[in-house]
Amino acid sequence: MTLKLETEKFTSLAEVLKTIAHPAKLSILELLDQHGSLSVGELQEFLSIEQSLLSHHLIKMKDRSILKSTKRGKFIFYEVANAEIVKILKFAQ
């Protein structure tokens, strides 16, 4: 691998780590790893945080391709988009 590719890889990884560096976001990732897919309401019940703050965290992680969402009826369900992120979290514990 060239130095440029290594730099791009680590820059991308650093952006992901910065994005998830919040207790609520780490909790969201852990819950989604355990349950596979959860609605916003289900996540809110588990985390006991305001919906607006939860939505902010979810959108940030979705924008960075850490999470993906699907709409089922009037509910939005989230799941981890990249299993490698969960591996990083498990390694860090």
Side-chain angles (χ1 to χ4, degrees), residues 36-88:
S37 176
L38 292 169
S39 71
V40 175
E42 291 168 326
L43 284 166
Q44 188 178 10
E45 284 180 34
F46 278 115
L47 298 172
S48 300
I49 62 175
E50 293 180 28
Q51 185 175 354
S52 61
L53 181 58
L54 175 60
S55 293
H56 172 77
H57 290 317
L58 294 170
I59 289 167
K60 279 272 202 199
M61 290 193 288
K62 185 178 174 192
D63 287 347
R64 295 271 188 217
S65 300
I66 296 167
L67 300 180
K68 59 184 175 180
S69 66
T70 54
K71 189 168 184 176
R72 297 182 209 154
K74 62 180 184 173
F75 300 101
I76 298 175
F77 287 79
Y78 284 88
E79 61 187 273
V80 177
N82 184 340
E84 296 299 313
I85 293 165
V86 175
K87 288 181 185 178
I88 292 168

Side-chain angles (χ1 to χ4, degrees), residues 6-58:
E6 284 290 320
T7 301
E8 289 174 9
K9 179 177 83 172
F10 290 127
T11 299
S12 177
L13 177 58
E15 288 299 318
V16 167
L17 293 174
K18 282 195 294 189
T19 301
I20 65 173
H22 186 282
K25 291 176 184 175
L26 294 171
S27 296
I28 291 167
L29 288 169
E30 185 170 296
L31 285 167
L32 293 175
D33 180 46
Q34 292 171 354
H35 297 275
S37 176
L38 292 169
S39 71
V40 175
E42 291 168 326
L43 284 166
Q44 188 178 10
E45 284 180 34
F46 278 115
L47 298 172
S48 300
I49 62 175
E50 293 180 28
Q51 185 175 354
S52 61
L53 181 58
L54 175 60
S55 293
H56 172 77
H57 290 317
L58 294 170

